[in-house]
Structures are given as structure tokens and as C-alpha cells.
């Protein structure tokens, strides 16, 4: 059905304002929509693969039709339409417009560019069994020709380009088993390096399932992450210095040290981005850039470099160290002690390194040092999946491997055993846009028959609704929650999706490190203005708005004392505060009259009023320039406006924010226990994982690719844009069977344009 009754008005989907669909959907959930013919409650269907329509809730097969009504509407003389609450409402009884004023139309989802015909692989050419496993067919390991070569070629440097889904873990594990069983190589002469402790444990577990592999041999392997392996070396030689009790384990501990330094530099704690500063310091350390070697390009860099200097000096005085020091310390120790370096060079004769595209400078230099004698380095990675430049990773070490290892052999694993032919073809077409890469084309091993779909929601709210609807349909057809993954570029990109899932009955899990949207500093500061308008004694809110007014936190105690002595509200006292700066005092005087007008406004209008009347935009701009944040303060405020549009009262909106914050904490607690759950994740966190169905949010310029990469590109730097394209490639290749890319018309309240990465597949 295309028609429904709402508040005694006839709604016609053909002529409704496009942006009103989400509101109508929510009105239907509240029982405020009825069938024009039978009067029964109806709802609006908002999914991915079908056009929106009204459906009866109780009757599975209703006989009601709206064709006659539509004919009558078409015959009527069209009149001028009024815009009311997002609806185009003509003065006649039906919602319709002239052709000239026809609103934005619904755009139906459509498949990406058709893949070439699928050719099934030749079983005889694809499958082989290693010699030492042939006698035990029930334990045989199936390998293709290139995998077999990567497993058996153990002498000399070897670069294995392992594309997405090409079975690199199987290759690494089987190669290790081959070296132990067939080549009789001593296990303690092999170093197996992974990027996570979980990956190392999984490889050891797999090794134990191979026939002929003894547990004692597996236990003697030197395996683990870079940090764990090189920390063992340090703690063996200097256990007093590298004692685990002296390790700074948590980021908040590091932040406390930086904040102590920040107070000496007179940095406002709530204004300076200490989390970003920590990330930058980590980048410098992993790039082997010591404090005195930092080259600053901005005032923010200068402040961060000063914090870096203080941080290193503080650790040295207190005899503390962090995780990055484990690698830098070992590198310096081996260079300063050549006789010990020779001992380790003689001991370690074989190196197997996983995720080589993510290696950073200090890790690369350590491997070069230790492998200098025997050169038996097997590096396994994929330059197309290098996505950690922000922490110092550099794909150029993989791209230029032969430069440092001139005799290196190259093996390319080009068979993708994870994703369908249609998804693999789509991924190939996207990544081919990168100029700096080793040319390769992955080949899918099966056809699903369903090409990836592009779908076109109006905005973030509708995007979330359409995805939830699609998952509910699939769940009713036999899918399980664990089959689904929803991917986004940055944490704020998940706000609407989280809210829709939290209000559904669907089980889902989120990353423990994701900061709740309504707890983000800019969001919480803006909400504090709204809270103060309803409660002028809200102490927490007063503390949060002080930085936005460029007032120091030190005045808070004076405000509280004045409030008690004069029996006046905190807001009244703040409004009369004298700071000695005319611009501040003018802003403070406006505070009381402006906030007292806000309770009668809609949440969206209230936010816009704070922005314009109280100078909040000035604060956002100032803080936004403090660092190279992916999630800018201005973006947070725009996201907040999108969320606010759904509510009519401040109280309702603030209760929603509190509820979502509480839900986020609760779901994080439960996420560790949930196995059969929908995954909500950043693309970075999903690397290495796979799901039957993947949804990619916000495939538009500014989101994916991110704004910062577009700005760098405009300034002549293509490197960041290429990394963003690799992110898109990683996101696409998480899907095994079905892939959906969302291309919203609006993003953060502004017109959005399809991601430039989609040009090759549209």
C-alpha cells in the first residue's frame, strides 16, 4: 500500500517529503498510522531491497488496496502544498504536489557493476597434499600450487603476498609444521611473529593437530607478538630494569603523566586532546623518532613534542617503561651490545612474520638486525590491507622488501577462499584505483549469484532503520545474529546504528574501546547547556560548560560559595562572573537570558541557539584545531543535531541521551559473553575477521574516504587517500556471501556525495 492515515490526513508515499520517511516509520511504531480503508493499524516498511510501503500489523494477507484512492487523487486538481513537520500537505485532502515541486524521490537499491562469468577452479590444479601428510589422509591439508610453494621454499628470504582470504594462516602454520617435521629444523631456532597474542595461540593450537608434530617442539618455538618476544630478551638480560611491575599498562596512566606536564605548560585539561597526543607520541616512538628529533609543523605539534620530552624524562626518573619502550629498548640494547647480538643472530636462523604490511620502523629494524646472518626471512602480508599508518605502520617495507633482501623470492597467493566471486571482483575493482601497490588480482573460488548492493537511505537515521529491517528479514529466514557485521569508518559513525539496535530486540556487541557518543566531550558539553536550561543548579553541567566559555575550572568553587551565600542558582552566579576580559563577560551576561528561553524550543533549535548566541561555534573551531583528530568536535555537534531532529522536547531528548549512555555501558559488559550476536565494529577492528553478511555504513566522501584524507589529497598528498581506499577494500573483503554498501543522501545534515571509491563499481 502507498497510503495511510496520520492525524486525519491522508499520506501518499509518492508525494511525501523524502526526509519524512523515518518520522513516519516511527509514528507507525507508536500506533499512529491507520489503513484508509479498514482503519486497522499499519506501519511503514523501510528496508534495503524493496521500495517503502505501508503494511497491516495484524492481518497477514489484507485485502485492502489503495489503487482506487490513488486514481481519485490523480484526478483531483492539484493545489499548493504546505510544509508542516517534514510533510508536504496540500490544502486538498490528499498529499500531492505538482510536477515542478515534486520532492526528492526514493532511489531503489541496485547491484554493483556485473562481475565477469564465474569459472570454477580445476580441482586437480588447486588441491595438493604435502608429502609428510600423505600417509594420513584424514589429516591432509589442501593447498593450491602457490600455497605449496610458500610452504616448502624454506631457505633464503621469501615474500608471500597473501591477498584477502587467501589462507595465509594455513600457509604459516603448515610451513612451520613442514620445517619441524620434514626439514628437521630445531624449533628454538624459529621465530614466529604475529601481531596479536590470540593469533600466536591459534597457530600453536593448529600445529598440535598436525600428525607428527610433538607438543614439546611447539612449546620450544619462539612465538608471539613483537612486544612479547623482544620483552623476553630484555627481561632475561636485565630483569631488574625490565620488571613487569614497572610497566605502564593503561592509557589513562599515560594520560595522567601528560596532564601533569600539561598543567606546567598551562594547557586546559578539557580543551587539549591528550588522547590524540598519546597516539602521536606512539607514532614518533614506533618510527624511532626521539624527542630531540621531532620536527614540528604546527603549534599543536610543538605542545605535543614538549609533552613527549616530559613523558620520557618522567619515565626515566621513575624507572618506568611502556609497551613501545620494549621494542625501542631491545633495539638499542642489541646495537649497544654487539657480542649479544651475534649470539641471537646465530640462534635464530628462521623468521616467519605475519601481517608484514603492518610492520613499523622499529619492528623492521629489529628483524633486519637479527636476520642479518642467515637471511631466512619469510614475510607474509598484503600491501592492499595496510591500514595502520596512524600508529607507524608502513607498507613500503613490504613494497621494497627486495631492496633489503636482494635474493628474495616472491610468491603471490591469489586465490580468495573466503568471499564469493562477485564480492572478490568488486574488491579488485576498488583497490585497482591505488597507484602504489604490487599488482595482483584475487580470484574467488565460488559464486553466490548475488552481487553486492548499493542502497540509498536519506540519512544516518534511515540508514540504521533499513539495515535493522533487512537483518530482521534474514533472521526470520534462518540466519543467525553472528552472521552479521556492520562496519563504520570512525566511532561517531555508529551513533544512529547503535541507537536503533539498542531499541530493537536484536543481540549485538560493540568494541570495548568505543567511547559512547553521548559521553564525548563536545556532545556532553552541548548537552550540559540544555540540562542547565532545565536545572540551573546542575553542578556537573556547569563544570562542563566552563571551558566552552573560555573560563577556568578554578572559579567553580567560588561560584558554589556565592550561590549558597546569596541563595541564587549557579547559573545566575555564573552569568554575573567578572573575569576581567570584556569578551568573556559579554558572553556570560547572555548566558542566563538565552538559556531561559531554551526550554520552550525543540532540541534542534535549542542546540542551534547555543551555537549562535553563546559562541559555542568559536569554541568548537578553537578546539578542532588542537589536533589531527579523526572525530572532530564540529562533526560531533552535527551528529548531535541529526539525533535531536527526532525529538520534540528537551526532556525527552536528554532522557534518550542518558538511556543510550546506560545501554552502551550495559552492552559493553555483556559483549564479552555474547557469541551469537550482531557485530558493530570499526573497519580497523574487523580486519582479519569474516562474516556471512556485511553492511558498510556511510560510503560517501567525507566518511569513506574520511575528510582528513581528502584535505591531504587537495594539498598534494595521495598517500592518505590510498590508505582510505585500502580501508574500503578491507571492509568489502570481510563479507563471505552478501555485501551492502550504504550511500546516504544526507550526512550530518548536509548533502552527501557517493564515495569516489565507488566509481569503478557503480
Amino acid at each position: 500500500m502507498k497510503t495511510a492515515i496520520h492525524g486525519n490526513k491522508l499520506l501518499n508515499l509518492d508525494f511525501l517529503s523524502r526526509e519524512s520517511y523515518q518520522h513516519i516509520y516511527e509514528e507507525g511504531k507508536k500506533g499512529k498510522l491507520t489503513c484508509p480503508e479498514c482503519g486497522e493499524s499499519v506501519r511503514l516498511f523501510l528496508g534495503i531491497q524493496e521500495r517503502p510501503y505501508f503494511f497491516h500489523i495484524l492481518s497477514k494477507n489484507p485485502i485492502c488496496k489503495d489503487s482506487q484512492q490513488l486514481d481519485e487523487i490523480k484526478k483531483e486538481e492539484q493545489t499548493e502544498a504546505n510544509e508542516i513537520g517534514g510533510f508536504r500537505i496540500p490544502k486538498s485532502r490528499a498529499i500531492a504536489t505538482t510536477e515542478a515541486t515534486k520532492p526528492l524521490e526514493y532511489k531503489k537499491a541496485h547491484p554493483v557493476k556485473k562481475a565477469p562469468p564465474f569459472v570454477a577452479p580445476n580441482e586437480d590444479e588447486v588441491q595438493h597434499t604435502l608429502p609428510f601428510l600423505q600417509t594420513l589422509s584424514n589429516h591432509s591439508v589442501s593447498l593450491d600450487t602457490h600455497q605449496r610453494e610458500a610452504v616448502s621454499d624454506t631457505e633464503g628470504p621469501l615474500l608471500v603476498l597473501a591477498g584477502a582470504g587467501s589462507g595465509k594462516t594455513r600457509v604459516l602454520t603448515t610451513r612451520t609444521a613442514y620445517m619441524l617435521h620434514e626439514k628437521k629444523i630445531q624449533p628454538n631456532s624459529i621465530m614466529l611473529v604475529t601481531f596479536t597474542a590470540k593469533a600466536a595461540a591459534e597457530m600453536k593450537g593448529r600445529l598440535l593437530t598436525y600428525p607428527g608434530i610433538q607438543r614439546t617442539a611447539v612449546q620450544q618455538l619462539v612465538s608471539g607478538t613483537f612486544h612479547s618476544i623482544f620483552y623476553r630478551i630484555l627481561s632475561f638480560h636485565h630483569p631488574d630494569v625490565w620488571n613487569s611491575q614497572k610497566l605502564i599498562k593503561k592509557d589513562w596512566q599515560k594520560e595522567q603523566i601528560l596532564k601533569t606536564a600539561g598543567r606546567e605548560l598551562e594547557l586546559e585539561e578539557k580543551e587539549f586532546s591528550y588522547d590524540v597526543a598519546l597516539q602521536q607520541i606512539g607514532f614518533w616512538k614506533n618510527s624511532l623518532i626521539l624527542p630531540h628529533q621531532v620536527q614540528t609543523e604546527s603549534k599543536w605539534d610543538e605542545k605535543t613534542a614538549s609533552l613527549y620530552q616530559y613523558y620520557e624524562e618522567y619515565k626515566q626518573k621513575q624507572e618506568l617503561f611502556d609497551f613501545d619502550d620494549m621494542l625501542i629498548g631491545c633495539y638499542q640494547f642489541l646495537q649497544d651490545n654487539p657480542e649479544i647480538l651475534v649470539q641471537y643472530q646465530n640462534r635464530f636462523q628462521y623468521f616467519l612474520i605475519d601481517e608484514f604490511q603492518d610492520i613499523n620502523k622499529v619492528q623492521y629494524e629489529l628483524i633486519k638486525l637479527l636476520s642479518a646472518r642467515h637471511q631466512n626471512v619469510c614475510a607474509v602480508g598484503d600491501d592492499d590491507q595496510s591500514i595502520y599508518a596512524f600508529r607507524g605502520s608502513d607498507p613500503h617495507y613490504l613494497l621494497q622488501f627486495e631492496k633489503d633482501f636482494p635474493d628474495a623470492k616472491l610468491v603471490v597467493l591469489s586465490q580468495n577462499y573466503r568471499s564469493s566471486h562477485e564480492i572478490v571482483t568488486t574488491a579488485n575493482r576498488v583497490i585497482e584505483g591505488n597507484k602504489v601497490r604490487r599488482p595482483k588480482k584475487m580470484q574467488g573460488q565460488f559464486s553466490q549469484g548475488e552481487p553486492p548492493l548499493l542502497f540509498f537511505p536519506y540519512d544516518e537515521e534511515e540508514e540504521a532503520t533499513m539495515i535493522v529491517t533487512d537483518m530482521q528479514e534474514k533472521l526470520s529466514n534462518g540466519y543467525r545474529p553472528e552472521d552479521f557485521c556492520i562496519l563504520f569508518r570512525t566511532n561517531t559513525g555508529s551513533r544512529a546504528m547503535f541507537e536503533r539496535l539498542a531499541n530493537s530486540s536484536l543481540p549485538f556487541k560493540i568494541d570495548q574501546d568505543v567511547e559512547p557518543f553521548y559521553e564525548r566531550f563536545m556532545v556532553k558539553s552541548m548537552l550540559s547547556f540544555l540540562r542547565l536550561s532545565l536545572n540551573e543548579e546542575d553542578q556537573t553541567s556547569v563544570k562542563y560548560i566552563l571551558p566552552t566559555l573560555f573560563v577556568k575550572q578554578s572559579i567553580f568553587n567560588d561560584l558554589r560559595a556565592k550561590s549558597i551565600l546569596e541563595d541564587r542558582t549557579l547559573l545566575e552566579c555564573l552569568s554575573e562572573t567578572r573575569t576581567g576580559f570584556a569578551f568573556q563577560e559579554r558572553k556570560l551576561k547572555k548566558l542566563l537570558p538565552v538559556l531561559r528561553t531554551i526550554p520552550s524550543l525543540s532540541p534542534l533549535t535549542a542546540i542551534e541557539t547555543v551555537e549562535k548566541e553563546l559562541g559555542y561555534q568559536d569554541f568548537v573551531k578553537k578546539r578542532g584545531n588542537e589536533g589531527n583528530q579523526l572525530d572532530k568536535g564540529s562533526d560531533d555537534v552535527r551528529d548531535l543535531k541529526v539525533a535531536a531532529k527526532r525529538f520534540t522536547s528537551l526532556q525527552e531528548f536528554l532522557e534518550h541521551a542518558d538511556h543510550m549512555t546506560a545501554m552502551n555501558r550495559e552492552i559493553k559488559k555483556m559483549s564479552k559473553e555474547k557469541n551469537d550476536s550482531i557485530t558493530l565494529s570499526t573497519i580497523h577492528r574487523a580486519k582479519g575477521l569474516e562474516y556471512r553478511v556485511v553492511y558498510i555504513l556511510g560510503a560517501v566522501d567525507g566518511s569513506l574516504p574520511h575528510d582528513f584524507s581528502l584535505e591531504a589529497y587537495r594539498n598534494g598528498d595521495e598517500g592518505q587517500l590510498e590508505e582510505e581506499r585500502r580501508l574500503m577494500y578491507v571492509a568489502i573483503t570481510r563479507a563471505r556471501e552478501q555485501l551492502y554498501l550504504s550511500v546516504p543522501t544526507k550526512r550530518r545534515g548536509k548533502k552527501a556525495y557517493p564515495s569516489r571509491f565507488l566509481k569503478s563499481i557503480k
Side-chain angles (χ1 to χ4, degrees), residues 651-680:
Q651 190 64 45
E652 184 186 13
F653 180 47
L654 292 172
E655 287 175 358
H656 168 77
D658 291 339
H659 177 60
M660 286 300 109
T661 301
M663 286 290 291
N664 194 294
R665 292 170 182 163
E666 188 63 29
I667 288 167
K668 280 187 177 182
K669 289 179 186 176
M670 298 169 60
S671 288
K672 292 181 179 180
E673 304 168 6
K674 288 184 178 180
N675 292 319
D676 191 10
S677 302
I678 297 162
T679 298
L680 189 56

Side-chain angles (χ1 to χ4, degrees), residues 141-314:
V141 175
S142 174
L143 297 171
D144 63 40
T145 304
H146 299 296
Q147 288 176 331
R148 182 186 179 93
E149 185 179 355
V151 165
S152 58
D153 199 345
T154 60
E155 303 305 309
L158 174 69
L159 177 62
V160 181
L161 286 182
S166 62
K168 70 176 180 61
T169 302
R170 169 174 286 192
V171 166
L172 276 169
T173 309
T174 310
R175 179 184 172 92
T176 306
Y178 181 81
M179 292 167 70
L180 294 173
H181 190 277
E182 285 289 299
K183 305 287 287 186
K184 308 300 182 186
I185 294 170
Q186 290 298 313
N188 61 2
S189 70
I190 301 173
M191 182 183 289
L192 173 59
V193 187
T194 62
F195 267 76
T196 65
K198 182 181 177 183
E202 286 178 354
M203 284 192 193
K204 281 190 170 183
R206 284 199 195 187
L207 277 170
L208 292 173
T209 67
Y210 282 37
I213 302 299
Q214 301 298 317
R215 183 175 294 273
T216 52
V218 174
Q219 291 173 339
Q220 289 178 51
L221 286 171
V222 179
S223 65
T225 64
F226 277 101
H227 290 86
S228 67
I229 291 173
F230 293 110
Y231 176 63
R232 272 180 265 168
I233 292 174
L234 286 172
S235 60
F236 175 78
H237 290 281
H238 294 293
D240 52 333
V241 176
W242 299 94
N243 186 313
S244 61
Q245 299 299 316
K246 298 179 180 181
L247 172 64
I248 303 174
K249 298 179 181 179
K250 304 293 184 181
D251 281 346
W252 67 263
Q253 295 172 303
K254 299 177 187 177
E255 281 196 30
Q256 286 302 113
I257 299 172
L258 294 191
K259 286 176 181 177
T260 301
R263 284 190 284 273
E264 293 183 13
L265 295 172
E266 296 186 344
L267 299 178
E268 270 293 339
E269 187 171 317
K270 290 188 180 294
E271 290 184 28
F272 188 79
S273 307
Y274 284 99
D275 55 340
V276 183
L278 264 181
Q279 181 177 301
Q280 181 62 51
I281 290 170
F283 174 86
W284 284 328
K285 294 181 74 169
N286 287 320
S287 302
L288 283 177
I289 299 173
L290 300 178
H292 67 278
Q293 298 172 320
V294 172
Q295 295 182 351
T296 58
E297 298 179 0
S298 66
K299 289 185 177 180
W300 186 85
D301 282 348
E302 291 174 8
K303 293 174 184 175
T304 305
S306 297
L307 294 177
Y308 181 21
Q309 179 76 39
Y310 178 94
Y311 178 67
E312 293 303 309
E313 290 175 354
Y314 177 88

Side-chain angles (χ1 to χ4, degrees), residues 78-89:
Q78 304 300 306
T79 59
E80 184 181 352
N82 297 322
E83 191 79 23
I84 302 176
F87 296 97
R88 293 191 60 82
I89 303 179

Side-chain angles (χ1 to χ4, degrees), residues 429-490:
R429 287 170 173 167
V430 167
I431 200 61
E432 283 169 358
N434 272 6
K435 298 175 183 177
V436 182
R437 64 185 290 263
R438 288 182 181 261
K440 55 185 170 298
K441 184 171 287 189
M442 301 302 293
Q443 299 173 6
Q445 301 301 295
F446 66 95
S447 175
Q448 193 67 22
E450 293 185 41
L453 274 184
L454 299 169
F455 68 102
F456 307 92
Y458 179 76
D459 62 6
E460 301 95 324
E461 300 293 339
E462 192 177 284
E463 174 183 63
T465 296
M466 294 170 83
I467 290 173
V468 167
T469 299
D470 192 71
M471 290 192 296
Q472 288 170 332
E473 288 184 312
K474 286 180 168 59
L475 287 166
S476 66
N477 289 322
Y479 283 75
R480 298 185 64 85
E482 64 186 3
D483 294 332
F484 303 103
C485 181
I486 302 161
L487 297 176
F488 45 91
R489 174 63 182 87
T490 60

Side-chain angles (χ1 to χ4, degrees), residues 733-751:
T733 53
R734 298 313 94 200
R736 295 202 305 264
E737 299 174 10
Q738 293 175 295
L739 173 68
Y740 299 92
L741 298 105
S742 170
V743 189
T745 303
K746 295 271 188 177
R747 176 176 177 264
R748 291 176 170 150
K750 295 184 178 181
K751 182 174 175 58

Side-chain angles (χ1 to χ4, degrees), residues 317-418:
K317 289 176 186 175
Q318 301 297 322
E319 297 184 342
L320 301 172
F321 63 94
D322 61 23
F323 284 101
D324 294 330
D325 293 326
M326 295 176 180
L327 301 184
I328 297 173
C330 194
Y331 177 69
Q332 292 174 336
F333 171 72
L334 293 175
Q335 282 199 317
D336 294 343
N337 297 274
E339 69 288 350
I340 295 178
L341 173 60
V342 170
Q343 292 176 19
Y344 281 108
Q345 287 174 335
N346 289 332
R347 176 184 170 180
F348 294 118
Q349 300 177 29
Y350 296 89
F351 297 83
L352 287 79
I353 307 167
D354 192 15
E355 305 287 8
F356 195 72
Q357 76 281 348
D358 294 329
I359 204 167
N360 60 40
K361 184 173 179 61
V362 64
Q363 293 165 344
Y364 189 63
E365 293 300 329
L366 277 165
I367 292 298
K368 279 172 58 182
L369 269 181
L370 291 175
S371 65
R373 182 175 179 82
H374 296 285
Q375 296 274 300
N376 294 323
V377 177
C378 174
V380 181
D382 180 12
D383 53 309
D384 290 335
Q385 296 186 73
S386 178
I387 58 173
Y388 293 109
F390 64 89
R391 67 185 188 195
S393 299
D394 192 341
H396 285 88
Y397 297 122
L398 183 149
L399 293 169
Q400 300 175 11
F401 186 76
E402 293 92 339
K403 181 180 178 181
D404 289 313
F405 299 93
D407 298 325
K409 298 176 183 176
L410 175 67
V411 174
V412 180
L413 306 183
S414 58
Q415 307 298 320
N416 183 305
Y417 297 98
R418 174 193 299 151

